[in-house]
Amino acid sequence: MSGIAGIIHFDGRIVEPGEIERVTEAMRTRGPDAINHWRNGNVALGHCMLRTTPESLGETQPLISDDGQLILVFDGRLDNREELSHELQLQRIEQRTSTDAELVLGAYRLWGENSPKHLLGDFVYAVWDERQQKLFCARDHMGARPFYYVRNPHVFAFASEDEALLGLPGVSNQPNEERIAHLLVPAFRDFDTRIGWCRDILSLMPAQSLVITGAGVPRVTTYWRLEPGEESVFDSDAECQQAFIAIFSEAVRCRMRSAGPVAAMMSGGLDSAGIAAIVKRLLPEMPDKEFHTYSAVSDDPESCLESQCIRSLTKSQGANAHFVSVPSFKGMASIGDLIDIAWSRSHPVDNSILLPMMMCQVAGRQQRRVVLNGVSGDVTMHVPNRYPAFLMRAGNWREAWRECQAASRNNTYVRGSLPQSLFLLNAGSVYLPKQLKLYARRIRGYRSPLSRSIINPGFAQKLRLAERLLDTAALETSDADLRNTHAAVISSTFTGIVVGLAGYEHMAGRFGVELRDPWADKRVVEFFLRLPLRYKTRNGWTKYLVRTSFGADLEDQVRFRKGKEHLGWHFAEQVMRASEAFIANTITHKIEVLQEFVDKKSIRELHQTWRDSPDWDSADHLHGLLTISGWLDRILR
């Protein structure tokens, strides 16, 4: 995780000294090892270096070709280095060094705008082609590395962080109102997801490339799409398990390529447990590699299943297992650390993931630059809660009934429901017309998300939210093909891999930490997308293939854990309890910044409710509003 930036003036004006430097300085935490620039007249590129791979230790960017005609800035990690290097050698493309950036520059020389099709890994790059007077940019298939840009009649500029572009002339710092509306009413999802948190800043989407010429006309191309493809066929469960282990092991191995220790965020869930299991299989092949884990555990671990599973996963780690106990916040981090990360630089995404943000803070403090995580696991292995509906569509009624019975015992999300109720709900998903589904929801007491929100009615009316709310429940099983449904979930900017990777990457950049997620590996995602339903879910158990593939690596309490206990709520609750004076001051003096979006009277009433009876719901709600207030106060200065 490094940072890249660039500026092109279309009117021929030169890039003045300090102009590109302001952009890279705003991303300094992403590149503590070196910040360098290249400038030629009306074009400038910048790079903030974080050295995380062995090859990057002697690397300098921007990288310039021998003839001076190509200048590249690159952030990422390539996982097909050997194949790519071999192909470049066959085509007599010179490789001066073994860095990933050199391979990308060679790929551009050979394939030009088709170069991202030949790359595998987490990457984003930009190449200024002096001969053709054009800038070519590309983002990886799954969106693990960000690319933000602004364009107006006079300038095109890009950076790895959106707020780094706010210092440029002509770039508005006004927020994107529709994203704020989504924060206040999460069911509102009907807006242009290319627009970032500030209204002038766009995001290049995953698997897209962008070309812009001196004339200033951008051309965006999608170079790859996630296609469901044909369903995979396996002769046995054992064959399927072997195929999964081979693909997932390679994904983890690629992400263990680092210049120093490898760490992992370790919860008690199956996603991080699977990563830990593969890491331990691979470590004997890497005798010099240290492995560290970072976790939050309960002050009373005997009463917390999450903590018991974490202890099971980390018991062989010794001093390399790092913990913070909650709610006391004893161990590797303190309440003071929590307050600092929450309020010193409030951001709507960062503040929603305080637990992993503290893990990254501690890892960065201890110089663990590469941290594995499993944030994409739920999406990669996704199956709708009403998965028996797909069995019903195929005519497998008896199997659908058995799964409803098993799901009522074992499924994390519907456990405890009556099998008969699950069966009727799934049958309704298949056979009831959409209008009848909506009518049934009204009978059950469904209320519009707007009626449960304290959003300013005038603001809601301005954006026509009532008309634009999506009925996500009705859409969940609307497609008869499970693979098409799964592909839509993976690609969704809201619930898919895209938002998880982008949000976590943004947060980790504050601490000079590079997050790597094996569950977001293109090969792993495609494998699960084409997996038959019986391997995704069986006997009511979600993630069935993973549970059964790690029988020799994980204890049963981890593999077949019932329930989904989280400790993350302690972080928001404790930061609120420890910040009463700060909160009171914000409510009194800084709440004006929210008045366009939220009724001030409602905010004060919520504050009073929390003070009188500080339950989780009021704490979480108020924490979100204070986060938006802090972010707006910062960017609007």
Side-chain angles (χ1 to χ4, degrees):
M1 185 273 304
S2 295
I4 64 173
I7 299 173
I8 304 175
H9 288 302
F10 302 133
D11 54 10
R13 182 171 64 86
I14 66 169
V15 178
E16 298 289 347
E19 200 170 352
I20 187 68
E21 286 81 359
R22 282 196 299 274
V23 181
T24 52
E25 180 61 29
M27 303 188 294
R28 175 171 289 277
T29 58
R30 299 179 64 91
D33 294 328
I35 297 181
N36 291 297
H37 309 92
W38 172 89
R39 178 185 293 107
N40 184 19
N42 66 321
V43 182
L45 299 176
H47 189 270
C48 306
M49 174 68 74
L50 179 74
R51 305 188 194 281
T52 58
T53 64
E55 297 78 17
S56 70
L57 294 179
E59 180 181 22
T60 299
Q61 292 192 48
L63 184 64
I64 306 172
S65 62
D66 281 341
D67 61 5
Q69 297 301 301
L70 301 176
I71 302 90
L72 172 138
V73 285
F74 168 83
D75 167 32
R77 183 201 70 258
L78 295 183
D79 295 339
N80 62 333
R81 288 169 45 82
E82 188 173 328
E83 302 93 321
L84 187 56
S85 179
H86 179 68
E87 182 64 27
L88 295 178
Q89 289 174 15
L90 288 178
Q91 300 298 326
R92 301 185 183 279
I93 302 296
E94 181 184 357
Q95 300 167 61
R96 298 166 296 184
T97 68
S98 62
T99 66
D100 289 357
E102 187 75 39
L103 289 172
V104 172
L105 187 62
Y108 180 81
R109 289 178 61 190
L110 180 58
W111 294 298
E113 294 181 18
N114 287 320
S115 55
K117 297 179 181 179
H118 298 268
L119 307 179
L120 179 67
D122 302 343
F123 61 82
V124 65
Y125 63 98
V127 180
W128 172 251
D129 191 325
E130 184 74 20
R131 188 177 293 110
Q132 299 188 52
Q133 288 291 291
K134 73 177 183 182
L135 181 74
F136 176 78
C137 314
R139 190 179 179 193
D140 64 78
H141 303 77
M142 306 309 300
R145 293 289 179 266
F147 186 95
Y148 299 99
Y149 66 97
V150 293
R151 174 187 170 271
N152 60 44
H154 306 290
V155 67
F156 175 87
F158 69 88
S160 295
E161 291 190 3
D162 52 354
E163 292 181 25
L165 297 168
L166 294 180
L168 296 176
V171 179
S172 172
N173 61 353
Q174 292 300 304
N176 179 353
E177 293 182 342
E178 295 192 334
R179 283 197 178 269
I180 292 178
H182 170 61
L183 290 175
L184 298 172
V185 186
F188 171 59
R189 303 178 179 183
D190 178 32
F191 60 89
D192 189 345
T193 57
R194 297 171 302 167
I195 304 174
W197 289 99
C198 294
R199 69 186 187 193
D200 279 3
I201 300 176
L202 299 174
S203 174
L204 190 64
M205 301 306 286
Q208 285 189 342
S209 62
L210 180 150
V211 176
I212 192 157
T213 64
V217 180
R219 172 168 48 87
V220 175
T221 302
T222 299
Y223 65 82
W224 173 83
R225 297 182 188 278
L226 184 64
E227 301 289 351
E230 294 296 321
E231 188 172 80
S232 301
V233 177
F234 300 99
D235 291 335
S236 65
D237 285 4
E239 183 183 27
C240 184
Q241 291 166 7
Q242 290 171 4
F244 161 66
I245 290 295
I247 288 174
F248 192 60
S249 295
E250 186 58 26
V252 175
R253 185 195 307 275
C254 290
R255 285 158 180 79
M256 291 179 70
R257 180 168 67 91
S258 68
V262 172
M265 295 185 198
M266 190 58 55
S267 73
L270 203 59
D271 306 339
S272 62
I275 295 172
I278 295 297
V279 167
K280 289 176 182 178
R281 290 189 185 191
L282 296 175
L283 279 175
E285 305 173 15
M286 311 172 186
D288 297 329
K289 185 70 68 180
E290 289 184 19
F291 180 54
H292 294 256
T293 58
Y294 296 91
S295 308
V297 295
S298 172
D299 287 335
D300 182 15
E302 298 307 315
S303 65
C304 176
L305 182 58
E306 172 86 358
S307 300
Q308 293 171 27
C309 291
I310 290 171
R311 294 292 187 185
S312 170
L313 293 167
T314 59
K315 61 186 177 183
S316 64
Q317 287 293 105
N320 286 356
H322 310 276
F323 304 101
V324 59
S325 296
V326 294
S328 66
F329 280 86
K330 295 177 181 177
M332 65 182 183
S334 67
I335 287 287
D337 293 324
L338 179 63
I339 292 172
D340 178 64
I341 62 175
W343 306 130
S344 64
R345 192 174 175 81
S346 294
H347 189 278
V349 173
D350 296 358
N351 283 43
S352 69
I353 47 177
L354 288 174
L355 191 161
M357 184 152 64
M358 178 165 278
M359 304 298 107
C360 286
Q361 181 196 47
V362 177
R365 186 185 294 161
Q366 296 179 353
Q367 294 297 303
R368 320 287 186 216
R369 295 187 167 194
V370 172
V371 178
L372 308 183
N373 75 98
V375 64
S376 303
D378 283 345
V379 180
T380 296
M381 295 181 277
H382 171 79
V383 173
N385 290 343
R386 298 185 186 180
Y387 70 92
F390 293 96
L391 298 172
M392 293 176 181
R393 288 182 190 276
N396 298 326
W397 288 85
R398 183 173 297 178
E399 186 179 354
W401 168 243
R402 286 198 297 265
E403 281 298 325
C404 288
Q405 290 178 302
S408 71
R409 298 189 303 271
N410 301 326
N411 188 284
T412 299
Y413 304 100
V414 299
R415 185 164 55 91
S417 302
L418 289 174
Q420 296 88 340
S421 297
L422 294 177
F423 190 81
L424 290 174
L425 285 171
N426 279 275
S429 295
V430 177
Y431 294 106
L432 281 181
K434 183 176 180 181
Q435 290 305 315
L436 282 179
K437 292 178 188 178
L438 295 175
Y439 180 69
R441 292 177 70 195
R442 284 196 291 270
I443 291 176
R444 294 198 304 268
Y446 170 79
R447 290 193 303 152
S448 167
L450 281 176
S451 67
R452 303 191 297 271
S453 171
I454 63 171
I455 192 169
N456 187 318
F459 179 54
Q461 186 175 7
K462 174 184 176 181
L463 298 184
R464 298 183 297 106
L465 295 191
E467 305 168 35
R468 298 169 65 189
L469 290 177
L470 288 180
D471 184 5
T472 54
L475 293 174
E476 187 179 37
T477 54
S478 60
D479 197 312
D481 191 327
L482 178 62
R483 295 189 302 283
N484 286 331
T485 301
H486 194 176
V489 170
I490 290 172
S491 301
S492 166
T493 303
F494 298 99
T495 61
I497 286 175
V498 174
V499 71
L501 293 178
Y504 272 58
E505 202 275 350
H506 179 276
M507 171 270 295
R510 291 173 56 172
F511 309 104
V513 168
E514 179 172 298
L515 291 178
R516 301 178 179 180
D517 186 353
W519 293 108
D521 186 285
K522 175 176 175 286
R523 297 160 293 188
V524 175
V525 170
E526 290 176 330
F527 176 85
F528 275 93
L529 183 61
R530 292 162 189 169
L531 199 63
L533 177 61
R534 65 183 179 277
Y535 293 113
K536 294 182 179 184
T537 297
R538 193 185 303 179
N539 298 329
W541 292 107
T542 60
K543 306 178 183 179
Y544 179 81
L545 176 61
V546 180
R547 295 180 195 276
T548 55
S549 295
F550 289 117
D553 305 270
L554 305 173
E555 295 180 1
D556 284 352
Q557 69 169 337
V558 176
R559 292 195 301 134
F560 293 101
R561 164 186 168 188
K562 293 184 179 181
K564 199 174 180 67
E565 186 177 9
H566 286 296
L567 297 174
W569 65 273
H570 284 291
F571 287 72
E573 184 179 63
Q574 289 301 104
V575 79
M576 294 293 289
R577 287 183 177 178
S579 307
E580 289 193 40
F582 168 82
I583 294 168
N585 181 67
T586 301
I587 296 293
T588 303
H589 300 292
K590 296 187 177 182
I591 211 64
E592 301 294 329
V593 74
L594 282 177
Q595 64 182 350
E596 179 184 351
F597 313 112
V598 183
D599 178 65
K600 290 194 297 183
K601 180 181 177 182
S602 298
I603 298 175
R604 294 191 173 97
E605 289 176 351
L606 178 63
H607 181 219
Q608 189 62 48
T609 299
W610 171 74
R611 291 182 64 184
D612 293 342
S613 179
D615 63 353
W616 162 240
D617 286 340
S618 60
D620 183 52
H621 202 170
L622 188 58
H623 174 258
L625 292 174
L626 292 167
T627 294
I628 301 172
S629 173
W631 174 68
L632 288 170
D633 183 62
R634 178 165 56 79
I635 68 165
L636 294 175
R637 289 175 188 166

